[in-house]
Amino acid sequence: MLRKLSEINNTFIQNHPVLLKHISLQNLIKQNFQENDKIWFIKAPGRVNLIGEHVDYNMGTVLPCAIDREIILCFKDDQSGKIHVSNVNPDFKNIQFSIRDPIKPYSKGHWGNYIKAGIKGILDYIGQSTDLNLQNLNGFNAIISSTLPPAAGLSSSSALVVAAALAILTVNQIPLDNTKLAEICAKAEHFVGTSGGGMDHAACLLGKKDAFLKIEFNPLHVTPISSPGDIEVILFHSLIEAEKSSNVREEYNRRVLECQFAVDLFNLFISDRYTLNVKPLKFIGEITPQYFDIPYAEMESLILEFIDSLPDSYSLLELLSIFNISGDDLAHKYSHILRGSDLTELPGGYKVRGRFRHVYTECQRVEQAVQCLQNKEKIQLGKLLDASHESLANDYEVSTPEVDSIVKLLRQFGAYGTRLVGAGFGGMILTLSDQSHANELIEKMKDFFYSEKPHQKLNDTIIRCRTSDGAGIL
Ligand code: NG1
């Protein structure tokens, strides 16, 4: 709702308790806005993914929830079309640009690229789907506050994209349903150079309190699954920041590409050996018995045979020869994944076998995890999380020795299941625990792990997740 600055008082804050966590924002609002300014607040939560890691860009189902850590954007409109955003955290410098000029990215890794991504996604949508004149649109002047630790695998980046997209829609009074908006934001975030999937934006926009979200893609469909009340999801930071906007980006995009190579190889395998009448597969997540119109057991043996037929890795030259294609043509085919990077030989080659196996088995684990949630089978659910971590570490190679040692420790301390979350390469580790056991687990981790590590904010190091509703105007 739109309000005057004078209405942002104690009663307003008590009615929106989420703002109690954003004290510095409250102070800055009074400094930055004038008495008669009309202002809005947007909340965009982070998310944690219970299971289904690195499957969203393969169109596999995921099972995250929106959490009670969030970005708050407080803003007023700017009728000259300028965007001005300041961040409560002084590490993130103010940004300013005009939506009436072409939107170009800042340098790699700049936080403002996520704001630009969200805005550009909406401007592109408006340009393609409405008669509105982009030169007449309003911009906004905003302050951002966040309780999401950056680069931890909790999707702080996508929360920024969503918040910026919602803000530009709001100041221009353009209605858009959240499912469509989630799809726009997922594509929009590719602006930063990561060829990511749509899980984060869907969880951020369509989150439900007390529920995990079974999110299916293509088309996007979300089914809330009630959370068994007596379990708790706790996150432990590995104390390694996985900064996806910079070095981790190449590793992430590489895996997206390897999965696509696996699909191409799978299509060749099918057409060479089988006379199954199926259209070529586009994504690993599409593999189901229905897709092939064969019984489950037959599909399983088909998949196993395919996996066994693959070597650990292929050189680029080998792939070009198998696909009978030139390097330029292959690079062109996958330019939407490479995003300006060159298609080169990699030390160790393209590891399609492990990548395929992870995505295929992880999709199955997600289906089983949904059943476990519905049947309140906590122990079995924990086992699925453990298996997911092994697969992410060994087949997908997105863990690190530090993450693996924390995972091991948590298992020793009696967690049901433990695994890395998000893209990996550091960040947070998720643990499923009985509520009654949570305090003990946390104390043990403090004693045995964190007491020996230099860190500043324990608040952001161990996070007890509560589910939350999705993004929107306060
Ligand atoms: P994180 O690391 O939380 O930003 C990333 C991707 C997800 C998904 C996970 C791995 C983006 C915006 N996010 O999440 O789509 O692929 O890795 O499951 O690219």
Side-chain angles (χ1 to χ4, degrees):
M1 231 175 94
L2 186 63
R3 290 180 185 81
K4 279 175 136 186
L5 183 60
S6 54
E7 292 169 56
I8 315 298
N9 50 24
N10 286 347
T11 316
F12 172 76
I13 289 167
Q14 271 153 26
N15 288 337
H16 299 90
V18 66
L19 294 175
L20 290 168
K21 295 186 267 172
H22 297 264
I23 303 293
S24 311
L25 176 69
Q26 293 178 37
N27 297 334
L28 272 181
I29 290 170
K30 305 232 160 68
Q31 287 169 28
N32 278 36
F33 296 122
Q34 311 288 320
E35 197 49 47
N36 281 328
D37 282 345
K38 303 225 169 91
I39 57 182
W40 289 269
F41 288 85
I42 279 172
K43 172 193 115 159
R47 63 97 185 94
V48 65
N49 188 17
L50 186 62
I51 193 161
E53 221 62 271
H54 284 280
V55 301
D56 58 349
Y57 50 81
N58 291 298
M59 298 301 139
T61 303
V62 292
L63 196 53
C65 60
I67 58 170
D68 62 345
R69 292 270 184 148
E70 66 286 314
I71 278 172
I72 300 285
L73 193 73
C74 169
F75 59 104
K76 64 171 187 170
D77 66 358
D78 180 306
Q79 293 179 357
S80 70
K82 287 214 178 57
I83 303 290
H84 182 277
V85 188
S86 52
N87 199 313
V88 163
N89 181 341
D91 292 346
F92 299 100
K93 301 284 169 249
N94 294 359
I95 58 167
Q96 182 162 333
F97 58 94
S98 170
I99 58 169
R100 301 193 182 161
D101 298 330
I103 298 186
K104 307 233 170 70
Y106 295 112
S107 59
K108 189 169 150 181
H110 193 297
W111 76 281
N113 282 337
Y114 295 101
I115 302 289
K116 285 191 164 178
I119 292 173
K120 185 167 182 320
I122 295 302
L123 296 183
D124 290 349
Y125 163 77
I126 293 173
Q128 285 153 18
S129 317
T130 74
D131 296 334
L132 295 172
N133 182 346
L134 296 179
Q135 292 301 317
N136 294 337
L137 294 180
N138 292 334
F140 58 78
N141 185 332
I143 313 172
I144 278 188
S145 169
S146 174
T147 53
L148 280 165
L154 300 184
S155 205
S156 55
S157 60
S158 302
L160 272 180
V161 174
V162 166
L166 273 171
I168 199 78
L169 287 170
T170 304
V171 291
N172 289 294
Q173 294 177 36
I174 299 171
L176 196 60
D177 82 81
N178 278 352
T179 302
K180 177 79 191 154
L181 181 55
E183 286 175 333
I184 291 174
C185 287
K187 283 212 185 84
E189 193 165 333
H190 294 163
F191 176 79
V192 307
T194 310
S195 302
M199 161 169 64
D200 305 352
H201 319 84
C204 177
L205 277 155
L206 301 161
K208 291 264 173 292
K209 193 155 172 37
D210 298 326
F212 289 95
L213 310 164
K214 179 182 176 192
I215 304 180
E216 294 158 286
F217 300 98
N218 215 6
L220 181 59
H221 183 73
V222 176
T223 315
I225 313 275
S226 297
S227 159
D230 54 347
I231 55 165
E232 197 165 324
V233 170
I234 313 171
L235 299 169
F236 294 92
H237 206 298
S238 61
L239 307 180
I240 301 166
E241 293 215 338
E243 191 46 82
K244 189 150 48 57
S245 55
S246 54
N247 59 323
V248 172
R249 180 165 73 188
E250 278 76 36
E251 287 295 331
Y252 184 93
N253 288 353
R254 167 188 169 170
R255 280 155 183 77
V256 182
L257 187 62
E258 286 170 326
C259 287
Q260 280 306 314
F261 287 161
V263 166
D264 291 346
L265 290 161
F266 185 73
N267 285 330
L268 277 181
F269 169 82
I270 291 284
S271 64
D272 275 0
R273 296 181 200 206
Y274 289 86
T275 49
L276 290 172
N277 190 15
V278 286
K279 56 180 187 324
L281 196 72
K282 286 205 189 112
F283 299 99
I284 304 173
E286 290 173 343
I287 298 177
T288 56
Q290 297 78 28
Y291 188 90
F292 296 105
D293 198 18
I294 52 179
Y296 181 82
E298 208 176 306
M299 183 192 79
E300 275 282 289
S301 58
L302 184 70
I303 298 299
L304 282 180
E305 196 185 326
F306 170 61
I307 292 173
D308 284 347
S309 75
L310 297 171
D312 263 357
S313 67
Y314 284 108
S315 71
L316 184 58
L317 263 185
E318 284 168 332
L319 286 172
L320 295 179
S321 144
I322 295 169
F323 298 144
N324 194 15
I325 192 173
S326 73
D328 283 351
D329 285 350
L330 196 64
H332 180 70
K333 181 174 177 192
Y334 289 123
S335 55
H336 63 288
I337 298 173
L338 289 162
R339 300 195 179 281
S341 310
D342 291 334
L343 183 61
T344 52
E345 288 290 1
L346 296 178
Y350 289 91
K351 301 194 173 175
V352 283
R353 181 167 67 170
R355 311 311 189 223
F356 179 92
R357 187 165 46 203
H358 165 72
V359 177
Y360 177 72
T361 56
E362 185 79 349
C363 288
Q364 294 183 318
R365 285 187 285 270
V366 172
E367 293 303 327
Q368 292 162 15
V370 170
Q371 304 283 316
C372 288
L373 279 179
Q374 284 166 337
N375 301 335
K376 303 196 189 317
E377 291 165 351
K378 300 178 281 189
I379 294 179
Q380 185 52 26
L381 182 59
K383 285 187 181 151
L384 291 169
L385 300 192
D386 288 344
S388 169
H389 183 80
E390 298 322 311
S391 178
L392 286 161
N394 301 325
D395 275 346
Y396 226 65
E397 297 180 295
V398 290
S399 191
T400 67
E402 295 84 352
V403 168
D404 287 343
S405 66
I406 300 174
V407 166
K408 209 166 146 202
L409 210 52
L410 282 159
R411 286 181 190 159
Q412 275 169 23
F413 294 156
Y416 278 132
T418 304
R419 61 176 205 84
L420 67 85
V421 278
F425 307 103
M428 289 284 190
I429 290 135
L430 175 153
T431 274
L432 195 65
S433 159
D434 259 332
Q435 261 175 4
S436 55
H437 184 54
N439 282 338
E440 190 188 326
L441 193 66
I442 289 171
E443 287 314 311
K444 279 190 174 157
M445 281 302 286
K446 283 186 189 163
D447 284 353
F448 284 85
F449 182 74
Y450 295 108
S451 61
E452 290 172 13
K453 312 278 170 201
H455 58 276
Q456 290 138 14
K457 288 197 224 155
L458 207 54
N459 189 27
D460 283 348
T461 306
I462 302 174
I463 298 182
R464 299 177 82 150
C465 293
R466 307 269 177 268
T467 52
S468 116
D469 285 327
I473 304 268
L474 294 184

